[in-house]
Amino acid sequence: MAGEVIMVQSADIIVRASEGTWDKTPDGNLRRILCYTDELMMVEFAFEKGGEGWMHSHPHVQSSYVAEGLFEVTIDKRTEILKAGDSFIVQSGLRHGVKALEKGRLVDCFTPHRADFLST
Amino acid sequence: MAGEVIMVQSADIIVRASEGTWDKTPDGNLRRILCYTDELMMVEFAFEKGGEGWMHSHPHVQSSYVAEGLFEVTIDKRTEILKAGDSFIVQSGLRHGVKALEKGRLVDCFTPHRADFLST
């Protein structure tokens, strides 16, 4: 729309499994931004066996799909074991974290996009 | 928060691959709502070989992760072949569709949630 301010533009709207840059996360895992708009960002996280996504919270709503592996997932005070094909959602501001019981991958979506992932 | 209006409440925030109800889509594939809040909904689509997701558009921003199979994906005037691990994002209002070249599954996220998927 004319005059509309576009804050964020994805590098591409189609991303291959072989593309993108893996960055180290503060908690020692790997993170790869897949594709995004202002409103929605898809990010892949890779964990070695024993890797932990520390308990944390953020204002973004997050969905996570277990693409590979076995994870101990904690959301607020609830902890469950999830395997490939399982999924979960985290409301804005709710504390959550994961532990990889096997090497694995999570595909997360965030709304709005994680501006903090673009600036680091 | 006291007095807050909750429009939509997910059945659960953690969903197993074996749970949920598969519903037939108008274009003949299967759809299963995974988990959602007002702001974000994760939905799994299953296609037999040759199954088509008709070209369509919606105001929701959509991300799609190819969990299994091989898909011909069209977004606006661009068509590409995507395999497991590939992903794409569709801006609000942009026409898009898929054709399953093999039996497969897509994990889509929508923001805001697809109220039309809850009412059918």
Side-chain angles (χ1 to χ4, degrees), chain A residues 55-56 73-79 90 94-97, chain B residues 13:
Chain A
M55 288 294 289
H56 67 295
V73 174
T74 300
I75 305 172
D76 199 14
K77 294 177 177 61
R78 180 175 170 187
T79 298
V90 182
L94 212 55
R95 283 179 60 79
H96 58 287
Chain B
I13 58 169

Side-chain angles (χ1 to χ4, degrees), chain A residues 12 15-17 80-81 86-87, chain B residues 15-17 80-81 86-87:
Chain A
D12 200 353
V15 178
R16 311 286 170 174
E80 298 200 12
I81 309 294
D86 295 345
S87 54
Chain B
V15 179
R16 311 286 170 174
E80 298 200 14
I81 309 294
D86 295 344
S87 54

Side-chain angles (χ1 to χ4, degrees), chain A residues 34-103:
Chain A
L34 299 178
C35 43
Y36 58 93
T37 66
D38 280 7
E39 303 90 347
L40 187 62
M41 176 182 275
M42 187 162 24
V43 184
E44 189 173 2
F45 291 83
F47 299 78
E48 293 300 322
K49 181 176 178 175
E52 289 191 42
W54 296 334
M55 288 294 289
H56 67 295
S57 67
H58 42 69
H60 320 75
V61 179
Q62 170 186 332
S63 66
S64 296
Y65 177 76
V66 181
E68 178 190 350
L70 192 70
F71 289 87
E72 182 187 89
V73 174
T74 300
I75 305 172
D76 199 14
K77 294 177 177 61
R78 180 175 170 187
T79 298
E80 298 200 12
I81 309 294
L82 271 66
K83 61 176 176 33
D86 295 345
S87 54
F88 61 93
I89 196 160
V90 182
Q91 290 185 344
S92 173
L94 212 55
R95 283 179 60 79
H96 58 287
V98 300
K99 181 172 179 181
L101 305 180
E102 295 175 359
K103 175 179 173 151

Side-chain angles (χ1 to χ4, degrees), chain B residues 10-101:
Chain B
S10 171
D12 200 353
I13 58 169
I14 295 177
V15 179
R16 311 286 170 174
S18 57
E19 293 175 342
T21 304
W22 288 101
D23 294 312
K24 196 111 176 172
T25 66
D27 39 14
N29 311 298
L30 292 175
R31 177 178 75 206
R32 181 167 76 104
I33 295 173
L34 298 178
C35 43
Y36 58 93
T37 66
D38 280 7
E39 304 89 348
L40 187 62
M41 177 183 273
M42 187 162 24
V43 184
E44 190 172 1
F45 291 83
F47 300 78
E48 293 299 323
K49 181 176 179 175
E52 288 192 42
W54 297 333
M55 288 293 289
H56 67 295
S57 67
H58 41 67
H60 320 74
V61 179
Q62 171 186 331
S63 66
S64 296
Y65 177 77
V66 181
E68 179 190 349
L70 192 70
F71 288 87
E72 183 187 270
V73 175
T74 300
I75 305 172
D76 200 13
K77 294 177 177 63
R78 179 175 171 187
T79 298
E80 298 200 14
I81 309 294
L82 271 66
K83 62 176 176 31
D86 295 344
S87 54
F88 61 93
I89 196 160
V90 182
Q91 291 184 344
S92 173
L94 211 56
R95 283 178 60 79
H96 58 286
V98 299
K99 181 173 179 182
L101 305 181

